[in-house]
Amino acid sequence: MAKRGVAQVMATHSPLSARLAEEAGFDGLWASGFELSALYGLADVSLLSMTQHLDMMRAIAGQSSLPIVADLDTGSGNAINVIHTVSEYERAGAAAVVIEDKTFPKVTSLVAYGRQELVRVEEFQGKIAAAVATRMDKNLIIVARTEALIAGLGEAEALKRATAYEEAGADMILVHSKQKTPDEIESFVHAWKGKAPLVIVPTAYPEMTVERIRAHGKICMVIYGNHAIRASVTAMKEVFARIRRDGGIQRVYGDIVSVEEIFRLQKMEQIKADEIRFLR
Ligand code: SPV
Ligand code: MG
């Protein structure tokens, strides 16, 4: 982030999507709860277990050299759960962990009229303090995420919470919004007087370009929250429909990646080289 100004972090739900994000030049990976829930055909409402998400993050870490920003949702419960969760994710290779101030079980943020309940400020301060006390490496970034704007509590409440979370030891503040334009977030950013850099997820307000983010000077990371799973769904829908329409795979053949490209992503060349070297 010091080098790039604004780190651009792409959502992932698998080691394959992580590898594609790395090849596309992103600075980091978002181990998204929303994406993995969708991959399982589930709503993002704390239905996946912590270990399901952790296992996938481990698999992603094994296949990519990019830093991973792990979406811990609520930290799986109270401050005691946070201690266990942060310890597991740090050991699994997370570079940053994001914990949000919603109650457990949480409800996905962007859904219209979602049940958005936040824990008390003091309780969440305890959770952030627990995360800070748990990390083994001081370079593990603890990001406190406030859902005050998502819950419709207004900017004053969001600022109050962000300030309290910074006091509790958060390295960065993620402030989320589901407004269709950047006004709400930009107003928060202008009003933010804390030292902690900000993180945003502009899914709902896509005109917030990197250039516009950079101009604010206080935002150090942008997370593209669900673009891997949405891109996959777009591509699969289109190709599946064409195959049904065409009565076979003969016409999509040239419009999808070759089997050889999948071999490349699977590092099949290395397997062949290892066979020559080791199979006797
Ligand atoms: C996620 O990708 O899991 C997020 C971002 O937390 S959002 O779905 O917008 O809440
Ligand atoms: Mg999430």
Side-chain angles (χ1 to χ4, degrees), residues 10-26 28-31 35 56-57 59-68 228 265:
M10 177 49 77
T12 55
H13 52 264
S14 65
L16 184 64
S17 56
R19 186 162 298 155
L20 295 174
E22 183 162 1
E23 289 186 355
F26 288 99
L29 303 169
W30 170 234
E35 289 232 347
M56 185 56 84
M57 206 217 75
I60 289 170
Q63 295 295 338
S64 169
S65 59
L66 288 182
I68 299 175
L265 290 163

Side-chain angles (χ1 to χ4, degrees), residues 16-127:
L16 184 64
S17 56
R19 186 162 298 155
L20 295 174
E22 183 162 1
E23 289 186 355
F26 288 99
D27 303 310
L29 303 169
W30 170 234
S32 158
F34 177 87
E35 289 232 347
L36 193 62
S37 300
L39 188 73
Y40 276 83
L42 293 172
D44 184 19
V45 293
S46 301
L47 298 179
L48 283 190
S49 70
M50 188 266 268
T51 49
Q52 278 175 302
H53 187 263
L54 180 65
D55 280 348
M56 185 56 84
M57 206 217 75
R58 233 180 240 127
I60 289 170
Q63 295 295 338
S64 169
S65 59
L66 288 182
I68 299 175
V69 182
D71 180 7
L72 267 45
D73 284 357
T74 65
S76 307
N78 65 18
I80 305 305
N81 299 79
V82 165
I83 292 171
H84 177 63
T85 306
V86 168
S87 151
E88 291 290 310
Y89 276 80
E90 180 171 29
R91 239 192 331 230
V97 292
V98 178
I99 309 170
E100 65 197 46
D101 57 2
K102 290 216 271 250
T103 53
F104 176 89
K106 56 75 75 69
V107 168
T108 194
S109 300
L110 299 180
V111 68
Y113 310 110
R115 177 188 57 80
Q116 304 295 346
E117 293 165 357
L118 273 49
V119 296
R120 287 175 300 108
V121 174
E122 297 74 19
E123 181 180 343
F124 197 70
Q125 281 185 307
K127 291 173 77 166

Side-chain angles (χ1 to χ4, degrees), residues 23-264:
E23 289 186 355
F26 288 99
D27 303 310
L29 303 169
W30 170 234
S32 158
F34 177 87
E35 289 232 347
L36 193 62
S37 300
L39 188 73
Y40 276 83
L42 293 172
D44 184 19
V45 293
S46 301
L47 298 179
L48 283 190
S49 70
M50 188 266 268
T51 49
Q52 278 175 302
H53 187 263
L54 180 65
D55 280 348
M56 185 56 84
M57 206 217 75
R58 233 180 240 127
I60 289 170
Q63 295 295 338
S64 169
S65 59
L66 288 182
I68 299 175
V69 182
D71 180 7
L72 267 45
D73 284 357
T74 65
S76 307
N78 65 18
I80 305 305
N81 299 79
V82 165
I83 292 171
H84 177 63
T85 306
V86 168
S87 151
E88 291 290 310
Y89 276 80
E90 180 171 29
R91 239 192 331 230
V97 292
V98 178
I99 309 170
E100 65 197 46
D101 57 2
K102 290 216 271 250
T103 53
F104 176 89
K106 56 75 75 69
V107 168
T108 194
S109 300
L110 299 180
V111 68
Y113 310 110
R115 177 188 57 80
Q116 304 295 346
E117 293 165 357
L118 273 49
V119 296
R120 287 175 300 108
V121 174
E122 297 74 19
E123 181 180 343
F124 197 70
Q125 281 185 307
K127 291 173 77 166
I128 293 301
V132 171
T134 299
R135 69 179 160 197
M136 304 290 289
D137 181 347
K138 65 176 176 19
N139 292 313
L140 177 74
I141 297 171
I142 311 285
V143 184
R145 164 171 166 176
T146 183
E147 295 281 291
L149 299 177
I150 293 282
L153 301 177
E155 184 176 297
E157 180 69 15
L159 287 166
K160 183 183 99 181
R161 284 178 172 264
T163 305
Y165 303 162
E166 183 178 20
E167 276 167 21
D171 301 305
M172 296 182 192
I173 302 293
L174 190 160
V175 55
H176 204 8
S177 163
K178 61 181 175 198
Q179 269 206 1
K180 301 273 181 280
T181 59
D183 321 3
E184 187 176 54
I185 282 292
E186 290 189 316
S187 171
F188 177 95
V189 173
H190 285 136
W192 175 239
K193 299 286 178 275
K195 284 200 181 61
L198 300 173
V199 182
I200 63 165
V201 187
T203 309
Y205 48 99
E207 63 266 46
M208 192 75 168
T209 59
V210 178
E211 203 181 353
R212 190 159 167 179
I213 292 169
R214 216 172 261 133
H216 286 288
K218 298 182 194 170
I219 304 168
C220 68
M221 189 189 300
V222 55
I223 294 174
Y224 301 120
N226 49 32
H227 295 73
I229 199 80
R230 286 167 65 194
S232 310
V233 170
T234 306
M236 282 192 271
K237 274 186 164 182
E238 192 206 313
V239 171
F240 294 175
R242 281 178 62 190
I243 293 170
R244 293 286 295 151
R245 210 167 47 230
D246 297 345
I249 55 176
Q250 70 282 11
R251 289 183 62 190
V252 293
Y253 181 80
D255 295 334
I256 54 179
V257 297
S258 64
V259 180
E260 284 69 30
E261 170 61 0
I262 304 296
F263 289 156
R264 185 188 70 78

